[in-house]
Amino acid sequence: MAVEVQLVPVSLATIALESCFYGCFLVLAITSMCLLVGRRAKWLSPTFLSAIGIFITVTAHWILTVDRSFQAFVFFENGTFPTAFYGDLSQITEVGKTACLITTVAMGDAIIIHRLWIIWDRRLPIVLFPVLNFLGLIVSGVGITYQFTKYRTGQNVFQSDTSRWITSNAVFTLCINIYSTGFISWRMSQVGNVIKPIGRNRIHSVLGTIVESAAIYTTWTIFFFATYLSESNIQFITVDCVPAITGIACMLIHVRIGLGWAHEGSQAGLSISQSLP
């Protein structure tokens, strides 16, 4: 049975929780970019571009969340009907937030697919499955955003046409992350078993960061999916935190690589670590 929580308390909780996650993300993002600049990373490298892109979309999403709180409690009908404001998913700020969310998730999934492609020596058959899922992710993401522009007050977001797009989007991103992380782990474990002990330790350290980051994102996505399928308004909290969680998961790896810990290991460990975007 769905947990009955009103939109206004949910929205207030969203502001607090997303702000906490955004603060964590901001620290990691700044650290990541400082390390990349300090190590003279190429400005057009996948690592640097992905860091900048995710920083922009996650920040934009958080700004829109804060802006919507002012709209609901101050400007919309003089702040007397916040429930009506939050219940209208066709608001331009809500559509904008959705676009930022979809873009952030797409960039995060593109990064892990690129990482998989590099580690597996650019073997197309290995990345075919996640690439097909990525295309589905893009299509479903566009579908979600479009459906929100057509939303009418009183519609049930859990049972409308949007629900099929949301379900598909969640399944696609889960498939991408579970598959890619599994194959990356397998490949790096193989490399770690054939190099010197020092290099092996560095490989396992990088591998641990990748798995932990994937676990953070996957766990939160499953949490969102569960709240959505249960038709609980708590899903508004979980979905609004997805961009920040995605950013944290990506920046953890960027910081790990930027610190250059793998440089102390073997050449094999260095090669793999530096190839990770």
Side-chain angles (χ1 to χ4, degrees), residues 1 11 24 58 96 132 156 193 195 268:
M1 182 177 179
S11 300
C24 296
V58 174
L132 292 176
N156 188 335
N193 290 332
I195 61 177

Side-chain angles (χ1 to χ4, degrees), residues 195-261:
I195 61 177
K196 296 179 180 180
I198 295 179
R200 186 182 306 128
N201 291 336
R202 301 304 175 185
I203 290 291
H204 289 164
S205 179
V206 175
L207 177 58
T209 304
I210 292 174
V211 172
E212 289 165 5
S213 298
I216 291 172
Y217 176 77
T218 302
T219 300
W220 192 266
T221 302
I222 292 173
F223 180 33
F224 155 69
F225 203 22
T227 57
Y228 182 79
L229 292 179
S230 67
E231 300 187 6
S232 168
N233 282 336
I234 292 177
Q235 69 91 20
F236 288 109
I237 300 177
T238 57
V239 74
D240 277 342
C241 291
V242 166
I245 294 293
T246 303
I248 289 171
C250 292
M251 293 304 166
L252 278 173
I253 299 176
H254 286 177
V255 169
R256 170 64 180 80
I257 297 169
L259 288 172
W261 295 342

Side-chain angles (χ1 to χ4, degrees), residues 25-39 41 43 47-48 51-53 55-56 251 254-255:
F25 162 76
L26 186 61
V27 171
L28 289 171
I30 293 175
T31 302
S32 171
M33 286 184 278
C34 286
L35 289 170
L36 290 172
V37 171
R39 290 182 175 273
W43 293 97
T47 303
F48 196 80
I52 294 295
F55 176 78
I56 291 172
M251 293 304 166
H254 286 177
V255 169

